[in-house]
Amino acid sequence: MAESDNIVAETAEKIFADLADAQTINRDKKDEWKAPLWQALTDAGLPLAWVSEDCGGSGASLAEGFSVLSAAGRFAVAVPLAETMLAGWLLAQAKIASPGGEMTVVPASPRDRITVNADGTLSGRARGVPFAKVAKHFAVLASDARGDLSIALVDAGKCRIESGLNLGGDPSDVVTLDKVQPVAIKPAPKGFDQARLMLMGGVARSLQIAGALESMLEISVRYSNERVAFEKKISKFQAVQHNLARLAGESAAALAAATSAADAIANATAFNDEVFLEAVAAKIRCAEAAEKGGAIAHQVHGAIGFTIEHILHRYSLRALAWRDDFGSDSYWAVELGKLVAQRGADELWPLVASR
Amino acid sequence: MTAALRFDPIRLPPECEQLRKEVRAFLAEEIAAGTFDPHQPNREDTDVPEFSRKVGARGWLGMTWPKKYGGHERSFLERYVVTEEMRVANAPTRRFFVADRQSGPVLLKYAPEHIKMEILPRICRGEICFAIGMSEPNSGSDLFAAKTRATKTDGGYLINGTKIWTSSAHIADYMIAIFRTSPPTKENRRHGLTQFLVKMKQPGIQVNPIGQITGQYEFNEVVFTDHFIPDDHVLGEIDGAWKQATSELAYERSGPERFLETYYVLTELVRAVGNNPDIRSAEGIGRLVAQVHTMRRMSVSVAGMLQAGKEPVVEASIVKDIGTIWEQQLPHRVRELAAFVEETATNRETLEKQLDFAIKTAPKLTIQGGTTEVLRGIIARGLGLR
Ligand SMILES: Cc1cc2nc3c(=O)[nH]c(=O)nc-3n(C[C@H](O)[C@H](O)[C@H](O)COP(=O)(O)OP(=O)(O)OC[C@H]3O[C@@H](n4cnc5c(N)ncnc54)[C@H](O)[C@@H]3O)c2cc1C
C-alpha cells in the first residue's frame, strides 16, 4: 500500500482502516457500517474537502483531495465520498455554498444534457448517476437555449429517481428533472464546460480504479502465499508468478496514469490539449487495467474469489463498474482519436512529449 | 504488505524543454541535409559515423558523466529527452547508443582510472562503438551458464569460446563481455564469471554476421581463439561479474527505447487516416495514444528514480515488460486500423513499407535485453514470491 502523501490522505486512510475494513463490510448484510463511516468522514471534513472554508468546506487542495480518492479506491468504499467531493467542487466553481450531507453530480455522462428553461427551472434526464438514490442534493450543470452554462444546487427530493445498480452493486440511477426550481443557480465560470466536469469525474474514477487494483494485487499476492496445491504454495509456480507480475504491471500502469492525470489537473493553469490527454488517457488506461488486472486477481484466487463471501468482488466489480462513469473508455478514446487526427500526424509526438 | 510500487508523476524540468528544442532543430537540419530519412526505420544497421561525431560535439553523449571524463554532468531527465527525440525521429544511433547507455556507465564504475581517461572521452565524442558480450549459444536467459573461458596467463588472460547475438560486434571497437574465470561453486552457481573490456579488431577474434528476418545484419557470432586480454582490462571483481551484470541491466530496461521501437507506424497511421476519422479509427488511435502516453509517464518516472540515485530494478522490469509487449502489438493493431484507409492516402506506400518492416521487427522486441519470462521472474521476486 502506498504511503500517504499528506495529512488529509492520512486521515482518510485511518478512517477507512478503522471503519471500512473490507472483511467486516462484506459480512455486514444490513449495511450497518455505512452510517458511522459517513459520520467519521464528515467530522473530518472530507466530503467537502474541495470546498473553501467560506463556502462551508474544509479547503483542502486539489492534490490532497485526489489522494483521498486513491485511498477510497484502495478500500473500495461504497459511500458517495467521491461524488460529494465532486459536487462540492462543481458548486464551488460558481461560488455556491455546499449544504451538508450526501451529494452527487448531474449529469454523469457526457452524452446527457440538462437544460435551463426560460423561467429559470431545470429539465432533463441523466442516466448512470452514481448514488443519486442516497444523495440529499445534486450539483447540476445545465445549459440554456443560447448554450450558456449554469451551475445549480438542486434538492434531490424535487427530482424523479429511478433506482439502478452498477456492476459493483452500488446505486447508479436515472435522474429526471421536470421543471425543477433549483435552490441556487449561478453562471458557470468562463471556459468551463461539460467535458471539464466529466474529466474531473473521470480522474476521480481513475484514482479509485488504480487504488482497487493496488488492493487486488496485495490480496492476490497474499493468497498465493497461503494457498497450497500439489504440496507447494501456489506462489511457487512460475505460471502463477507470471500472472501476478502482469497484475503488478497493470496496477502500476493504472497508478501511473491516474496520479499523473491528477497531478496535471492539480497544477493546470489552463485546460489545454495536454491536460485533456492526461485526463482522458487515465480513464482509458485504467479501464483497460481494470479488465486485465481483475481477471488475473480472480484467476489467482480460484473459485473462492468468485464467491459472494470473499472480498475480492468488492474491488474487482467496482473497478469494472467505475469504467462507465463520466464517459466510458470507448467514448473518450473516440474523443482523443479525433483530437489527435485534427492536430495531425506531425503534432502527435509533441503532444505526447509535452511534459 | 506487498512491495509498494510507486510511479510518481515526475515532470521534466524547464531545462529539458530548451534541450528538446535544440535536439529537434538539430535533427531537422540533419534530415534536411539528407543524413537520414525519418520515414525509413530500417536504416538501423547502417552505420553513420559523422552523425555520431556531431551528436557528441553537441554534448549529447555521456550527458550524466563527470566532466573530467568528457561528460557533461547533466541529469538523467535531460538524457531521457535526447534519447526519445532521437528514437522518434528514427535517427541513426546504432554507433553510439550502447556505449552511451550501458558500457560507459560500466566503465565508470569498474574500469581502472587510466582506461576511463582513455576511453570515456572518446565515447563522449561519438568516436567509438561498443558491443555487449553476454549471450552464448547455450546461455541466453540463463546468463550464468556462460562457458567462454578466460584462462590466466602471463600479464593477462587467454579467451576461448563463442559469444552470440552480439549486436554491432561487426562495427564495434570494444566489447564488454563476461567470461568464465572459475567453475561455479556448490553454494553459488553464479560465481566464477568475470567482466572484461575486449578490444575488437585484434588477433584471435572473428566476427561472423548473422542475418535477421528483417533483412538486416545487426547481430553476430563472435568467436574467440586464444585472444589475449591484459590484466588491466578486467572490470571489477574477479569471479563476481554476476553482481555487476544484473545492476547494469537496470539501465537497459526502462528507457524510451523500450516502447518506441515501432512507434513510427502510429504516426503514419494518423497521417493516413486524415483529420476526419471514422469512429473506428478514432477509437483505435485514441486507445493507442492513451497507452503510449501512460508508458511514457512510467518511463519518465523511472528516469526520475535513477536521477534520485535509486536502483529501480522491479519498476524498470515492469516498464520493459509492458513497453515491449505494446511495441510488439502496435504494428498489428495499426494494420487492423489501416484496413479501411482510403486507397488515395498519400502516405499509403510509406505506411505499408513501415508495417512490413515493423511486423518483421516485432518478434525480437520481447527477447532482446531479457525475455518477457525473465522479466516477470524479476517482478515476481520483487513481489516477494521467490
Ligand atoms: C535483436 C537482438 C539483439 C541482441 N543483442 C544482444 C547483444 O548485443 N548482446 C548479448 O549478449 N545478447 C544479445 N541478444 C541476446 C538476448 O539477450 C537473448 O536472446 C535473450 O537473453 C534470450 O536468450 P536465448 O535467445 O538464448 O533464449 P533462451 O534463453 O533459450 O530462451 C528461449 C525461451 O525460453 C524461455 N525461458 C528460458 N528460461 C526460462 C525460465 N527459467 N523460465 C521461463 N522461461 C524461460 C525464454 O523466456 C524464451 O522464451 C540479442 C537478442 C536479439 C533478439
Side-chain angles (χ1 to χ4, degrees), chain A residues 238 242, chain B residues 94 98 101-102 130-143 163-169 175-178 212 216 218-220 249 252-253 261 361 363-375 377 386:
Chain A
Q238 196 181 45
H242 285 199
Chain B
R94 168 150 298 282
V98 164
R101 173 182 71 187
Q102 207 161 337
F130 268 77
I132 299 164
M134 294 212 192
S135 304
E136 295 184 12
N138 291 307
S139 157
S141 303
D142 187 7
L143 188 60
K163 290 286 169 187
I164 201 164
W165 320 132
T166 324
S167 299
S168 308
M175 172 196 282
I176 290 180
I178 51 166
Q212 300 179 343
Q216 296 171 289
E218 178 180 62
F219 59 25
N220 306 269
L249 292 170
E252 197 184 332
R253 287 184 172 158
E261 193 158 337
T361 303
K364 72 159 185 168
L365 297 170
T366 50
I367 298 170
Q368 60 188 11
T371 65
T372 305
E373 289 76 10
V374 166
L375 294 169
R386 309 176 43 182

Side-chain angles (χ1 to χ4, degrees), chain A residues 1-5 214 217-218 221-222 224-225 235-236 238 240-242 244-246 248-257 259-261 263-264 277-278 280-282 284-285 288 329-330 332-334 336-338 340-342 344-346 348-355, chain B residues 1-12 17 20 24 39 84-85 88 259-260 263 266-268 270-271 273-277 279 281-287 289-294 296-298 300 318 321-322 329 372-377 379-380 383-386:
Chain A
M1 205 149 285
E3 319 118 49
S4 303
D5 291 332
E214 277 186 78
L217 174 62
E218 190 187 315
V221 165
R222 197 191 303 142
S224 78
N225 276 324
S235 63
K236 298 299 162 204
Q238 196 181 45
V240 175
Q241 291 178 356
H242 285 199
L244 288 169
R246 282 175 54 222
E250 292 304 312
S251 167
L255 192 66
T259 50
S260 183
D263 173 76
L277 168 66
E278 292 265 9
V280 166
I284 297 169
R285 190 61 186 85
E288 293 173 353
D329 43 319
S330 299
W332 287 118
V334 170
L336 177 57
K338 283 187 194 158
V340 166
Q342 272 154 23
D346 295 323
L348 172 56
W349 177 251
L351 175 66
V352 171
S354 60
R355 37 220 286 131
Chain B
M1 296 281 149
T2 57
L5 293 168
R6 298 211 59 167
F7 285 81
D8 290 334
I10 301 290
R11 299 293 171 202
L12 299 174
E17 292 319 306
R20 189 187 297 284
R24 282 185 185 162
H39 303 295
E84 67 178 3
E85 289 298 324
V88 167
F259 57 92
L260 291 175
Y263 174 80
L266 180 54
T267 312
E268 247 14 76
V270 174
R271 201 183 310 287
V273 159
N275 56 17
N276 193 16
I279 201 161
S281 314
E283 182 183 358
I285 290 170
R287 283 192 186 273
V289 171
Q291 291 158 358
V292 71
H293 164 80
T294 302
R296 183 175 174 278
R297 299 301 310 144
M298 296 173 85
V300 171
I318 287 180
D321 182 21
I322 298 189
Q329 292 175 342
T372 305
E373 289 76 10
V374 166
L375 294 169
R376 288 183 183 164
I379 300 165
L383 293 174
L385 302 173
R386 309 176 43 182

Side-chain angles (χ1 to χ4, degrees), chain B residues 165-286:
Chain B
W165 320 132
T166 324
S167 299
S168 308
H170 57 304
I171 56 167
D173 303 284
Y174 292 94
M175 172 196 282
I176 290 180
I178 51 166
F179 300 126
R180 187 153 291 287
T181 35
S182 315
T185 59
K186 248 209 190 112
E187 305 76 51
N188 185 3
R189 63 179 293 271
R190 299 169 155 212
H191 173 88
L193 293 165
T194 304
Q195 211 167 19
F196 288 86
L197 175 66
V198 181
K199 199 160 183 191
M200 303 292 284
K201 296 162 191 153
Q202 296 284 312
I205 302 181
Q206 171 150 357
V207 177
N208 305 315
I210 305 173
Q212 300 179 343
I213 60 176
T214 52
Q216 296 171 289
Y217 285 91
E218 178 180 62
F219 59 25
N220 306 269
E221 177 194 60
V222 185
V223 183
F224 295 89
T225 318
D226 282 340
H227 170 70
F228 177 77
I229 299 183
D231 278 330
D232 65 358
H233 281 47
V234 170
L235 300 176
E237 198 183 319
I238 306 255
D239 292 339
W242 53 282
K243 291 177 228 151
Q244 294 162 219
T246 41
S247 75
E248 174 183 341
L249 292 170
Y251 292 108
E252 197 184 332
R253 287 184 172 158
S254 61
E257 69 273 21
R258 292 306 183 199
F259 57 92
L260 291 175
E261 193 158 337
T262 57
Y263 174 80
Y264 50 85
V265 295
L266 180 54
T267 312
E268 247 14 76
L269 173 69
V270 174
R271 201 183 310 287
V273 159
N275 56 17
N276 193 16
D278 62 32
I279 201 161
R280 172 179 174 275
S281 314
E283 182 183 358
I285 290 170

Side-chain angles (χ1 to χ4, degrees), chain A:
Chain A
M1 205 149 285
E3 319 118 49
S4 303
D5 291 332
N6 55 58
I7 186 91
V8 183
E10 272 168 36
T11 307
E13 190 101 37
K14 186 166 184 326
I15 293 173
F16 295 140
D18 290 347
L19 298 171
D21 165 63
Q23 293 287 11
T24 321
I25 288 178
N26 211 40
R27 278 191 223 107
D28 175 359
K29 301 294 171 245
K30 288 191 206 132
D31 282 351
E32 281 169 1
W33 58 277
K34 278 191 178 168
L37 175 65
W38 187 257
Q39 191 56 51
L41 292 171
T42 305
D43 292 346
L46 293 171
L48 297 183
W50 279 331
V51 175
S52 64
E53 287 170 23
D54 51 336
C55 279
S58 48
S61 68
L62 279 176
E64 288 169 323
F66 282 135
S67 49
V68 168
L69 293 174
S70 290
R74 287 197 289 277
F75 288 87
V77 287
V79 290
L81 176 61
E83 292 73 9
T84 306
M85 284 172 65
L86 285 168
W89 171 82
L90 178 60
L91 294 171
Q93 301 302 307
K95 306 226 159 34
I96 298 175
S98 285
E102 294 89 338
M103 293 195 284
T104 190
V105 288
V106 175
S109 155
R111 297 160 76 184
D112 289 339
R113 294 276 173 276
I114 306 296
T115 323
V116 187
N117 303 312
D119 63 0
T121 61
L122 302 173
S123 293
R125 193 155 174 267
R127 290 155 303 165
V129 179
F131 289 99
K133 187 83 194 154
V134 293
K136 312 243 177 339
H137 290 93
F138 300 146
V140 178
L141 183 68
S143 58
D144 63 19
R146 297 212 316 268
D148 289 338
L149 285 177
S150 295
I151 292 167
L153 176 66
V154 169
D155 181 346
K158 300 249 174 78
C159 307
R160 192 164 84 241
I161 296 164
E162 296 157 65
S163 300
L165 292 177
N166 70 12
L167 275 174
D170 297 330
S172 174
D173 311 313
V174 181
V175 174
T176 308
L177 287 76
D178 185 11
K179 300 209 161 157
V180 172
Q181 189 68 50
V183 180
I185 183 162
K186 286 191 184 167
K190 242 197 165 107
F192 195 90
D193 62 8
Q194 194 168 322
R196 184 107 170 248
L197 169 62
M198 293 303 125
L199 288 172
M200 186 73 180
V203 171
R205 286 299 190 247
S206 300
L207 289 163
Q208 289 176 286
I209 291 174
L213 278 163
E214 277 186 78
S215 293
M216 283 191 260
L217 174 62
E218 190 187 315
I219 63 172
S220 301
V221 165
R222 197 191 303 142
Y223 183 71
S224 78
N225 276 324
E226 287 163 1
R227 176 74 174 167
V228 172
F230 301 95
E231 296 162 3
K232 283 205 274 192
K233 288 178 185 172
I234 60 168
S235 63
K236 298 299 162 204
F237 292 105
Q238 196 181 45
V240 175
Q241 291 178 356
H242 285 199
N243 266 343
L244 288 169
R246 282 175 54 222
L247 171 55
E250 292 304 312
S251 167
L255 192 66
T259 50
S260 183
D263 173 76
I265 287 189
N267 294 304
T269 45
F271 202 85
N272 53 19
D273 286 357
E274 287 75 21
V275 179
F276 177 84
L277 168 66
E278 292 265 9
V280 166
K283 190 78 200 302
I284 297 169
R285 190 61 186 85
C286 287
E288 293 173 353
E291 179 198 320
K292 292 188 192 152
I296 295 169
H298 276 278
Q299 188 70 18
V300 171
H301 277 86
I304 188 80
F306 192 64
T307 63
I308 196 78
E309 309 303 329
H310 197 277
I311 56 169
L312 177 57
H313 69 89
R314 296 198 62 79
Y315 305 106
S316 66
L317 293 178
R318 273 196 184 90
L320 293 174
W322 288 330
R323 294 178 302 175
D324 293 326
D325 297 341
F326 308 107
S328 71
D329 43 319
S330 299
Y331 175 86
W332 287 118
V334 170
E335 295 301 302
L336 177 57
K338 283 187 194 158
L339 175 84
V340 166
Q342 272 154 23
R343 289 174 58 111
D346 295 323
E347 287 304 311
L348 172 56
W349 177 251
L351 175 66
V352 171
S354 60
R355 37 220 286 131

